[in-house]
Amino acid sequence: SSTRVYIMMHYSVSAKAYGKIIFHCAKYPHRAVNGVLIGTISKKDNSVQVQDCVPLFHAKLDLTPMLEVALTQVEIYAISKGLSIVGYYHAKPQLDDSSLTDTIKSIGSKISQNSDVSCVLMVDNRKILTSHNELAVKMFINQEQTNQWKEQRNISLMGGDPVMSLLIKAVENGIFQKLIDFDNHLDCVDADWTNPSINKFIEELKEQ
Amino acid sequence: MASFEEVGEGLVPKFTDWMSARDTLRDIREEGLRKSHKVAVLGKQLVEKYASKLGDEVWVVHEQVIPSALDIGDHHTAEACYKALHHKFPGSTRVKRLEGLLLEAKEEYDDALALYTDILEKEPTNLLIAKRRVTIQKARGETVAAITELIKILEIYMTDIESWNELADLYISEHSYEKAAFCLEELILANPHNYLNHQRYAEVCYSQGTVDSLNASRKHFSTALKLNPGSLRSLYGLHQTVLHLSTNPKLKGKREEKVKNEDILSWTSSQLQHKYQDIPRCSKIVEQYLKTGK
């Protein structure tokens, strides 16, 4: 049998992607929330850039019909931006629980079927807004040989700690209320799940 | 560029005057909404500075502030409100329940459970307290225990809608779709005109993935749409269901089914296009979405 050496890829997460994950959690603090990560893969540098994310649901996360609709549409959107789906994020309502459930694993696996890479970011609820220099997410990678999801620490925030502080300040000023997820869109077709105004706001933050 | 404060204008609750604060809290109470940040910020000012203006309403406001303050992590205000209520109504079970909430918020679950067990011994039919036990189990991630507890509650309170809904959610999180479906059937029986019940039931049936369950899903998404033609979720649900049915190898041979499914699919497709016609960015994505799977 051939041996495949597993090379650890480095994941860097943009302010836009990380910010929207935090905003999604802040908007629905008592619920599970999830979403899709989109970005670019650089095989040459062995790295993945999580450029953006699309917040999906804050209710009925374990049911499939709307998830299928959302994944199809997010993929179409990603391709239109020259990006691909690179992972999935999930925040559980229980404060100390960031373990992977079967549903999370199967969504993660489904995403990696159509993509060369896939990671699952589980939100560490205790760290959101309390840590100014540590990402409040745990990254899990599906290793092909073992088909196990293992935690990996090879992840960083583009722009580092200053970006983190700005995002926390944004939450304190209530800006997370403007975040739109796919559930919001299903309730009101005008609600835009690509979040152009929040994206612009975060882009301008970095320029300050 | 705009400052944080400018962009966040109106998004962070601010106290302006006691009368509008009182009215806002009344509206929220009436509608049973969970607007914890707003209630905590406005309510805190009311109870601390304008208690005398509120008359008898002051106690209901104290009671309302406690879970909201706990929700946003303001334990100090919650404790103060509880102390005032406890002083005014020393023997009250209603107030004792709030003491339980304080313990739960501090994650002192064993103490909270002891308190609730105590109350239930004296008042075995206290539904609100029985439900707190379920919430603690949920908070601890003890889903199976929470399910068992809820079933016990439903054996006594067979018509409690909130419990059936909660039980359905718990079963869904455990992937026990058949059991979740049973709960939702009870909800449909109790209120057949509520489109949400049919929609949710259809989503659960869809998730089961068998031909029979997909047929049930088609039926109930259709019912939900009839009851609420504006439901985008039901429209997508019906579209997805029929898409799966029409590509299912078992049904491909049956001509009748094929024709029916094709009819429905062309209807849902045109409905979806119509919904998005005024939203150009979305309509491009939806056009492509409608082309997939065929």
Side-chain angles (χ1 to χ4, degrees):
Chain A
S1 62
S2 61
T3 35
R4 260 198 232 136
V5 177
Y6 181 71
I7 303 164
M8 247 201 325
M9 298 193 98
H10 179 83
Y11 283 73
S12 51
V13 185
S14 74
K16 234 177 7 184
Y18 187 68
K20 284 192 285 190
I21 294 175
I22 302 303
F23 290 2
H24 203 191
C25 293
K27 195 176 174 192
Y28 301 104
H30 56 292
R31 294 209 174 177
V33 296
N34 67 358
V36 183
L37 308 168
I38 62 181
T40 48
I41 304 161
S42 170
K43 287 223 166 115
K44 210 175 35 161
D45 305 328
N46 225 18
S47 66
V48 177
Q49 297 77 36
V50 181
Q51 304 280 15
D52 201 354
C53 78
V54 176
L56 291 186
F57 306 115
H58 56 268
K60 296 186 283 185
L61 272 64
D62 292 285
L63 298 175
T64 43
M66 298 304 121
L67 180 63
E68 287 178 14
V69 175
L71 285 177
T72 307
Q73 293 195 7
V74 170
E75 186 162 40
I76 293 167
Y77 172 69
I79 290 172
S80 77
K81 296 275 172 183
L83 305 171
S84 57
I85 294 182
V86 295
Y88 168 78
Y89 76 83
H90 190 110
K92 288 177 143 180
Q94 289 88 4
L95 206 52
D96 289 305
D97 191 0
S98 52
S99 61
L100 303 176
T101 61
D102 287 336
T103 307
I104 294 172
K105 288 179 197 171
S106 70
I107 296 175
S109 297
K110 187 175 169 134
I111 284 176
S112 57
Q113 275 171 12
N114 301 335
S115 165
D116 287 333
V117 294
S118 179
C119 74
V120 168
L121 292 184
M122 294 300 294
V123 175
D124 185 337
N125 292 320
R126 293 253 185 220
K127 287 198 184 142
I128 304 176
L129 305 182
T130 55
S131 174
H132 286 251
N133 54 16
E134 259 187 288
L135 283 182
V137 291
K138 288 186 191 168
M139 179 168 73
F140 291 85
I141 304 287
N142 188 332
Q143 293 184 234
E144 274 188 285
Q145 313 101 291
T146 60
N147 205 36
Q148 297 269 329
W149 289 88
K150 288 235 161 87
E151 189 181 348
Q152 262 167 41
R153 314 269 160 126
N154 215 350
I155 180 169
S156 59
L157 179 63
M158 297 182 204
D161 299 346
V163 166
M164 188 91 79
S165 301
L166 288 171
L167 291 174
I168 292 174
K169 195 169 173 203
V171 172
E172 285 162 6
N173 279 276
I175 291 158
F176 61 88
Q177 307 264 27
K178 290 187 176 183
L179 184 88
I180 303 291
D181 63 12
F182 207 83
D183 259 336
N184 298 138
H185 173 73
L186 290 171
D187 289 336
C188 170
V189 74
D190 294 307
D192 190 342
W193 47 263
T194 65
N195 289 286
S197 62
I198 288 202
N199 285 346
K200 182 158 174 274
F201 170 76
I202 296 179
E203 290 292 320
E204 286 174 2
L205 267 185
K206 293 184 325 184
E207 285 160 25
Q208 275 191 309
Chain B
M1 68 149 274
S3 68
F4 280 94
E5 291 73 22
E6 281 167 17
V7 177
E9 183 66 49
L11 296 174
V12 181
K14 277 204 180 85
F15 179 88
T16 49
D17 64 283
W18 73 269
M19 265 200 268
S20 45
R22 178 203 60 189
D23 292 344
T24 304
L25 258 58
R26 260 187 208 163
D27 291 337
I28 292 174
R29 273 200 311 275
E30 239 158 86
E31 290 186 55
L33 299 172
R34 187 171 183 167
K35 299 256 180 215
S36 302
H37 199 182
K38 196 176 265 190
V39 171
V41 167
L42 300 180
K44 183 183 161 81
Q45 295 300 311
L46 280 180
V47 300
E48 282 178 7
K49 298 180 185 149
Y50 300 94
S52 56
K53 305 253 190 207
L54 296 172
D56 281 334
E57 200 176 347
V58 72
W59 302 117
V60 170
V61 171
H62 273 84
E63 182 184 38
Q64 185 183 13
V65 167
I66 290 173
S68 298
L70 291 174
D71 247 4
I72 64 159
D74 183 0
H75 288 223
H76 184 80
T77 303
E79 297 258 8
C81 288
Y82 165 74
K83 285 204 175 91
L85 281 168
H86 182 67
H87 184 80
K88 177 82 181 167
F89 307 102
S92 156
T93 307
R94 190 165 156 179
V95 174
K96 220 164 162 59
R97 179 178 152 264
L98 297 168
E99 187 189 347
L101 289 185
L102 290 175
L103 290 169
E104 284 186 53
K106 288 189 272 193
E107 295 175 79
E108 289 168 26
Y109 295 124
D110 289 327
D111 289 340
L113 274 173
L115 188 147
Y116 295 142
T117 306
D118 205 45
I119 299 177
L120 284 169
E121 269 165 27
K122 297 172 197 140
E123 298 178 28
T125 57
N126 192 324
L127 182 57
L128 277 177
I129 300 290
K131 286 181 181 179
R132 291 321 304 170
R133 280 229 282 246
V134 177
T135 26
I136 291 177
Q137 284 155 339
K138 266 186 85 175
R140 285 174 147 169
E142 293 163 11
T143 316
V144 177
I147 288 174
T148 312
E149 196 70 37
L150 255 182
I151 291 174
K152 272 194 236 159
I153 291 176
L154 280 165
E155 276 167 11
I156 308 171
Y157 297 94
M158 280 174 257
T159 55
D160 187 48
I161 305 266
E162 192 181 53
S163 294
W164 283 115
N165 264 306
E166 187 65 50
L167 187 55
D169 276 344
L170 288 172
Y171 277 136
I172 289 168
S173 72
E174 292 277 302
H175 290 233
S176 304
Y177 294 129
E178 269 180 44
K179 295 192 178 150
F182 176 79
C183 297
L184 295 169
E185 282 161 15
E186 290 291 321
L187 287 170
I188 291 176
L189 278 172
N191 194 349
H193 301 291
N194 185 342
Y195 85 95
L196 286 169
N197 290 333
H198 292 276
Q199 183 177 275
R200 215 154 139 232
Y201 183 66
E203 289 199 57
V204 169
C205 291
Y206 182 105
S207 304
Q208 283 177 277
T210 65
V211 170
D212 282 341
S213 75
L214 283 173
N215 279 322
S217 177
R218 180 177 65 190
K219 181 170 156 205
H220 286 274
F221 274 131
S222 307
T223 308
L225 271 172
K226 251 198 286 193
L227 292 167
N228 179 6
S231 170
L232 185 56
R233 203 180 293 259
S234 294
L235 184 55
Y236 270 123
L238 182 58
H239 183 86
Q240 286 284 130
T241 306
V242 177
L243 205 58
H244 276 284
L245 282 170
S246 63
T247 54
N248 187 300
K250 277 192 200 164
L251 297 172
K252 267 194 166 148
K254 301 185 180 173
R255 200 176 177 275
E256 244 177 66
E257 279 295 313
K258 189 166 181 278
V259 170
K260 180 157 77 173
N261 285 327
E262 275 171 10
D263 274 344
I264 299 176
L265 216 49
S266 73
W267 182 80
T268 53
S269 296
S270 70
Q271 287 291 302
L272 282 167
Q273 282 168 322
H274 183 76
K275 277 239 191 264
Y276 284 93
Q277 65 184 11
D278 293 324
I279 310 166
R281 179 201 62 78
C282 263
S283 63
K284 283 195 206 126
I285 294 178
V286 173
E287 279 297 333
Q288 277 191 266
Y289 158 76
L290 290 172
K291 288 192 189 135
T292 60
K294 285 200 177 155

